[in-house]
Amino acid sequence: MNKRLAAEFFGTLWLVLGGCGSAVLAAAFPGVGIGLHGVSLAFGLTVLTMAFAIGPISGCHLNPAVTLGLAVGGRFPFKDLAGYWVAQVLGAVAASAILYVIATGDGSAIGGFASNGFGEHSPGKYGLGAALLTEVVMTFFFLMVILGSTAKKAAPGFAPIAIGLCLTLIHLISIPVTNTSVNPARSTGPALFVGGWALSQLWLFWVAPLIGAALAGFVFPKLED
């Protein structure tokens, strides 16, 4: 278990450092900024690379919602849920600390720091209802892809590609709405450094992804039967 938790810690650290790091450091860099498309791809690449690296060790969840969805779907023991959640959140916080040091290295403030938000803190100024629905639906389909691509009948070896591309697509759709969470750990790390509004809105980015993931964990096994 210790090795599995360590894998989840480092995997989630990589996800947040790579994904949020691309948003904070590279999205709007003068002349060569990667923009929404680049940030979306960066998040997908973090999951794809880590799925190959630590998938055989911990399953490469990197996300409390994924762990819950797999547990509801009968793929993961509920007794191990809390340990995975703690490792994932700690990995996200460690990544955010590293990114904070890098981002402030030129003397600038961190700004929004890739935090998730709704209302005035949504990139497109989308309200609470739109943000909640977006996060539930996007996480639902993320788990459907994860459960399907890792099923016994699925083609072996291709799950990381499907999952990474799915996360890329999710970001392409929902960055304008919430800055894309679908991952409570990813939301928690940056929010702790921004404080204020980011912490006050953090509840949504726990509740909505967990609901979406649990729904997928319930629905997908019905499709397999």
Side-chain angles (χ1 to χ4, degrees), residues 11-26 34 38-47 95 99:
T12 310
L13 191 159
W14 181 236
L15 182 147
V16 175
L17 186 60
C20 294
S22 71
V24 172
L25 303 174
I34 62 175
V39 173
S40 300
L41 182 60
F43 271 101
L45 288 174
T46 63
V47 171
L99 182 57

Side-chain angles (χ1 to χ4, degrees), residues 33-218:
I34 62 175
L36 180 151
H37 302 93
V39 173
S40 300
L41 182 60
F43 271 101
L45 288 174
T46 63
V47 171
L48 188 154
T49 52
M50 270 298 155
F52 281 115
I54 68 169
I57 301 170
S58 68
C60 191
H61 298 186
L62 317 184
N63 181 338
V66 170
T67 303
L68 177 64
L70 292 173
V72 173
R75 305 275 191 89
F76 186 80
F78 275 100
K79 66 180 179 65
D80 294 338
L81 196 72
Y84 265 54
W85 282 16
V86 170
Q88 291 155 359
V89 170
L90 289 178
V93 173
S96 299
I98 294 169
L99 182 57
Y100 177 84
V101 174
I102 296 171
T104 57
D106 62 355
S108 63
I110 60 171
F113 205 51
S115 291
N116 301 112
F118 55 86
E120 64 178 297
H121 301 293
S122 156
K125 309 304 179 187
Y126 289 88
L128 171 61
L132 180 66
L133 182 61
T134 297
E135 290 292 327
V136 170
V137 172
M138 293 298 130
T139 313
F140 173 85
F141 281 103
F142 189 37
L143 265 293
M144 291 290 281
V145 170
I146 291 171
L147 290 163
S149 62
T150 58
K152 291 181 179 179
K153 295 181 180 179
F158 288 96
I161 299 172
I163 295 167
L165 289 175
C166 179
L167 189 61
T168 299
L169 175 59
I170 286 169
H171 279 77
L172 288 171
I173 297 167
S174 60
I175 282 178
V177 184
T178 63
N179 234 5
T180 309
S181 172
V182 303
N183 183 338
R186 169 264 183 270
S187 298
T188 300
L192 290 175
F193 285 83
V194 174
W197 68 265
L199 285 176
S200 69
Q201 295 190 353
L202 181 60
W203 66 270
L204 184 143
F205 303 104
W206 274 86
V207 172
L210 293 178
I211 290 173
L215 287 173
F218 175 78

